[in-house]
Amino acid sequence: MGKRIGMEVGIAAAEAVALCNIDVAAVYPITPQSHIAEHMADIIHDGRIDAEFITVESEHSSISACAGASAAGARVYTATSSQGLMLMHEILPIVSAMRLPVVMGNANRAISGPLNIWNDHTDIMPQRDSGWICMFAENGQEVIDMTIQSFKIAEHPDVMLPIVLNIDGFQLTHMIEPLEFPTQAQVRKFLPPRKPFVTLHPDNPISMGCFNMPDIFAESMKVKETALRNSKKTIVRIWKEWGKMFGRYYRPVETYKAKGAKTLILTMGSMGETASIAVDEMRKKGASVGLVKMRLWRPLPIEELRAAIKGAKTLIVMDRAVSFGGAGGPVATDIKSYLYQDTSRPKVVNYIMGLGGRDVAVDDFIAMTEKATKKKEDTFEFYGVRE
């Protein structure tokens, strides 16, 4: 094991990007992502890596600059949060359709209005169908590891898709944790130089993202869907490779004390660690409770999820976003749709919780679990909302 150092996670994210020897960063600062942008600018200004930092006037410009740089063959990084990600929305499907392996760090934050700068997942959920690979980190070490992994996954010739790594704002980005960085030599061994399939160059003109008439547009969308769905095989393979090199293994769906549990809690992001403590407390009292953590959100790892929840009577899905006017939170709605025809599936209880940075403590997870086990059918509710 290498030497551990204390560092803020947002700063560590920029350091991990630097280890990947990117060519271009185009990042517009926004709370709580700004520390990534600022430290990335410092690294490039100080000459620690040979890269260009593009100063842009908005997040729309930053993702547009990243698209152009990636199309020209550069290894590219950007980061954003909340309204910044919403401003990028117009360009996100274009980046994935053009098969550009841009890597983005998203410091998850509530979207307006009303104005709120704290953490939930309402910024990433509207981007669910943009065609990007979407992952969630649980702690600072995972942010380092998954940032480096993201470049290898995105640039793999069997994938060639952009990736967004979700890093819970403040609750993770601003935490100081003991972290272990791989050496530059180790990253070079793991992450080869980018070899793009095609590039934009004035000496060899090509076009990307061409106009599609109705008679071929559906086929283009099917190709994009197939590519995203098939990327899971490469993601799993690269995560195994990382595990063999560094001893830290990653999986699309991970579990904690879930085997044989009658009740399972499902989380995404940093709340998994709090939920695991709640599981320990409930286990001490004899409750048959376990935890399921979804690390990969898109492509949705339905086979792994089915295996993880097999035999459970109740699945409690924790959503940190609202699908207004729908049948629950976006995560729970997706999961229920995939389990619809499974006659042995568990009852799905969905809590909308932790919105706008509201604390969800160990006791809250215990209270939600105890309440969920008494419900007779699928349901959803806002947890902890004052009447």
Side-chain angles (χ1 to χ4, degrees), residues 74 123 139 188 247:
D123 57 358
N139 55 49
R188 285 197 190 100

Side-chain angles (χ1 to χ4, degrees), residues 59-60 63-64 67 87-96 132:
E59 290 85 359
H60 189 282
I63 190 62
S64 298
L87 187 55
M88 288 183 174
H89 179 77
E90 179 186 1
I91 308 300
L92 298 182
I94 298 172
V95 175
S96 57
W132 285 53

Side-chain angles (χ1 to χ4, degrees), residues 234-254:
T234 302
I235 294 168
V236 170
R237 187 166 63 248
I238 289 174
W239 277 346
K240 286 181 180 178
E241 182 182 341
W242 180 271
K244 290 177 181 178
M245 284 188 67
F246 299 102
R248 294 186 294 272
Y249 288 87
Y250 294 80
R251 297 171 183 84
V253 176
E254 298 175 2

Side-chain angles (χ1 to χ4, degrees), residues 56-78:
V56 291
E57 67 272 18
S58 72
E59 290 85 359
H60 189 282
S61 299
S62 70
I63 190 62
S64 298
C66 286
S70 183
R75 177 170 287 167
V76 177
Y77 180 78
T78 190

Side-chain angles (χ1 to χ4, degrees), residues 256-303:
Y256 178 72
K257 297 185 177 180
K259 189 174 182 180
K262 294 180 180 179
T263 302
L264 295 172
I265 302 168
L266 186 145
T267 63
M268 295 198 309
S270 61
M271 277 195 175
E273 295 190 340
T274 305
S276 67
I277 298 173
V279 167
D280 289 340
E281 293 299 316
M282 287 183 281
R283 283 273 181 171
K284 289 177 184 177
K285 298 178 181 178
S288 181
V289 181
L291 176 64
V292 176
K293 298 181 285 188
M294 283 186 63
R295 181 173 305 287
L296 185 63
W297 171 230
R298 281 296 186 273
L300 190 68
I302 191 63
E303 295 84 3

Side-chain angles (χ1 to χ4, degrees), residues 7-11 30-36 38 107 117 167-177:
M7 183 180 292
E8 183 190 290
V9 172
I11 303 296
I30 179 173
T31 302
Q33 171 275 122
S34 298
H35 292 186
I36 300 176
E38 292 164 357
I117 66 168
I167 310 167
D168 283 346
F170 290 113
Q171 294 173 348
L172 188 50
T173 57
H174 284 55
M175 292 297 104
I176 297 176
E177 299 184 4

Side-chain angles (χ1 to χ4, degrees), residues 261-386:
K262 294 180 180 179
T263 302
L264 295 172
I265 302 168
L266 186 145
T267 63
M268 295 198 309
S270 61
M271 277 195 175
E273 295 190 340
T274 305
S276 67
I277 298 173
V279 167
D280 289 340
E281 293 299 316
M282 287 183 281
R283 283 273 181 171
K284 289 177 184 177
K285 298 178 181 178
S288 181
V289 181
L291 176 64
V292 176
K293 298 181 285 188
M294 283 186 63
R295 181 173 305 287
L296 185 63
W297 171 230
R298 281 296 186 273
L300 190 68
I302 191 63
E303 295 84 3
E304 290 85 350
L305 180 63
R306 286 182 186 276
I309 66 175
K310 186 177 181 180
K313 300 299 182 183
T314 303
L315 177 65
I316 308 169
V317 181
M318 304 296 183
D319 259 297
R320 303 194 70 181
V322 186
S323 180
F324 295 102
V331 179
T333 301
D334 260 16
I335 290 173
K336 284 191 289 186
S337 71
Y338 276 97
L339 298 178
Y340 178 73
Q341 292 182 323
D342 188 346
T343 57
S344 63
R345 74 172 180 87
K347 169 185 63 183
V348 179
V349 177
N350 179 208
Y351 288 108
I352 311 296
M353 35 66 78
L355 299 182
R358 181 171 293 188
D359 286 337
V360 183
V362 170
D363 288 345
D364 293 313
F365 279 105
I366 293 173
M368 284 186 281
T369 302
E370 291 176 348
K371 189 176 182 180
T373 56
K374 298 175 183 178
K375 294 184 181 295
K376 302 298 183 181
E377 57 188 16
D378 290 356
T379 185
F380 85 93
E381 65 178 79
F382 283 77
Y383 173 78
V385 175
R386 294 184 293 273

